[in-house]
Amino acid sequence: QVQLVETGGGLVQAGDSLRLSCAASGGTFYSYVMAWFRQAPGKEREFVAAVTWSGGSTYYADSVKGRFAISRDNAKSMVSLEMNSLKPEDTAVYYCAADETPRYRDATDYRYWGQGTQVTVSS
């Protein structure tokens, strides 16, 4: 079983950048697809980005494509989310997720979750 811990959230202004990190432990990191989801108050959890086992393929929600970049370092058991040109609508709790063979965009397919980190973007 893998444990996930997110760091890097905070309060920023619109147009700023922020980098989230997720450290994994207790599992075989390279065997997991890693993803980021987010949940804003009163809204359902939504897919943000995913990266496949070797990092060879990445997937993004249309709302973040071109602004966010997901990457992973299998040697360090970490996945990151670089967020640029942040908008107030990006405000949410961001969660790191992992599973061996998920449908990338489907939160119900991911068995392992971090506790979340708050990102707030002011206008």
Side-chain angles (χ1 to χ4, degrees), residues 25 46 48 54:
S25 62
E46 65 172 359
V48 175
S54 65

Side-chain angles (χ1 to χ4, degrees), residues 33-37 47-52 55 57-61 70-72 79 81 97 102-105 110:
V33 170
M34 300 300 299
W36 289 93
F37 288 79
F47 171 77
V48 175
V51 59
T52 54
S57 295
T58 55
Y59 302 87
Y60 296 95
I70 188 171
S71 61
R72 66 188 294 161
V79 62
L81 185 69
R103 289 168 292 184
Y104 303 131
R105 301 172 186 270
Y110 289 83

Side-chain angles (χ1 to χ4, degrees), residues 10-89:
L11 172 63
V12 297
Q13 293 187 332
D16 285 351
S17 298
L18 202 60
R19 184 179 180 90
L20 304 183
S21 295
C22 173
S25 62
T28 307
F29 185 73
Y30 60 81
S31 69
Y32 297 104
V33 170
M34 300 300 299
W36 289 93
F37 288 79
R38 67 187 182 186
Q39 189 166 17
K43 295 187 177 181
E44 292 187 354
R45 192 168 297 190
E46 65 172 359
F47 171 77
V48 175
V51 59
T52 54
W53 307 266
S54 65
S57 295
T58 55
Y59 302 87
Y60 296 95
D62 288 343
S63 59
V64 306
K65 198 173 296 183
R67 300 188 297 122
F68 290 12
I70 188 171
S71 61
R72 66 188 294 161
D73 185 334
N74 285 348
K76 296 181 179 179
S77 297
M78 293 193 69
V79 62
S80 297
L81 185 69
E82 185 72 32
M83 305 185 294
N84 299 309
S85 302
L86 282 162
K87 304 176 181 180
E89 51 264 44

